[in-house]
């Protein structure tokens, strides 16, 4: 069991089973004003990447916009339409024939575990973002 405490202007996590500090963070003055769930690093960044994608492809006009749950809760545990996760990370985006238009957002490269990206039968245009090139195990289908 880990205990989180603020002392000496730093964040400390102490593993009570081994009686040792397992994390020292930045001074309190540098901490964000809201509490972040540190057990799921990258979750907020992944959600931001997905919402950038949703916005850049005009998600509010997707064919299933009234039924899909994009933007609601956690993208993995809340099963966002067309998003598949493994070990808490996005591995697939599969949105086919859903009136998606616009361009792909550069932030998609932030989905480091993404290995399948399927947007067939949509109206996506523009240039493939350079950030997707750094994803080495990805299969793209447009």
């Amino acid at each position: 069991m880990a205990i989180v405490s603020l002392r000496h202007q730093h964040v400390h996590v102490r593993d009570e089973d081994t009686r040792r500090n397992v994390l020292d963070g930045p001074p309190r003055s540098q901490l964000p004003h809201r509490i972040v769930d540190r057990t799921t690093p990258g979750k907020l960044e992944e959600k931001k990447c997905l919402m950038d994608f949703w916005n850049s492809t005009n998600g509010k006009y997707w064919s299933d916009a009234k039924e899909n749950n994009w933007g609601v809760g956690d993208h993995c545990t809340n099963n966002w339409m067309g998003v598949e996760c493994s070990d808490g990370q996005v591995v697939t985006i599969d949105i086919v024939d859903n009136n998606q238009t616009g361009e792909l957002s550069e932030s998609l490269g932030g989905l480091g575990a993404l290995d399948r990206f399927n947007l067939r039968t949509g109206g996506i245009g523009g240039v493939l973002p350079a950030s997707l090139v750094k994803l080495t195990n990805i299969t793209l289908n447009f």
Side-chain angles (χ1 to χ4, degrees), residues 22-108:
V22 292
L23 171 73
D24 284 327
R28 187 183 314 179
S29 61
Q30 295 175 7
L31 290 174
H33 294 287
R34 67 180 107 145
I35 297 173
V36 176
D37 180 359
R38 296 195 185 281
T39 62
T40 54
K43 280 290 196 175
L44 294 178
E45 292 83 5
E46 277 197 340
K47 185 173 184 176
K48 182 188 179 315
C49 293
L50 290 169
M51 291 309 297
D52 286 349
F53 165 73
W54 186 82
N55 286 315
S56 72
T57 59
N58 300 301
K60 65 182 177 181
Y61 300 111
W62 289 355
S63 300
D64 69 353
K66 291 184 180 178
E67 297 87 36
N68 81 33
N69 55 348
W70 274 69
V72 178
D74 179 80
H75 51 280
C76 288
T77 59
N78 204 32
N79 300 313
W80 287 10
M81 186 70 69
V83 175
E84 294 178 27
C85 297
S86 177
D87 296 324
Q89 293 184 299
V90 175
V91 293
T92 300
I93 297 175
D94 189 5
I95 301 173
V96 177
D97 195 21
N98 201 16
N99 195 39
Q100 62 272 25
T101 60
E103 297 184 359
L104 298 177
S105 57
E106 186 67 37
S107 64
L108 283 168

Side-chain angles (χ1 to χ4, degrees), residues 8-29:
H8 306 287
Q9 299 291 324
H10 285 78
V11 175
H12 295 278
V13 177
R14 184 163 178 83
D15 183 339
E16 288 301 308
D17 295 330
T18 60
R19 301 273 188 221
R20 64 183 177 86
N21 289 337
V22 292
L23 171 73
D24 284 327
R28 187 183 314 179
S29 61

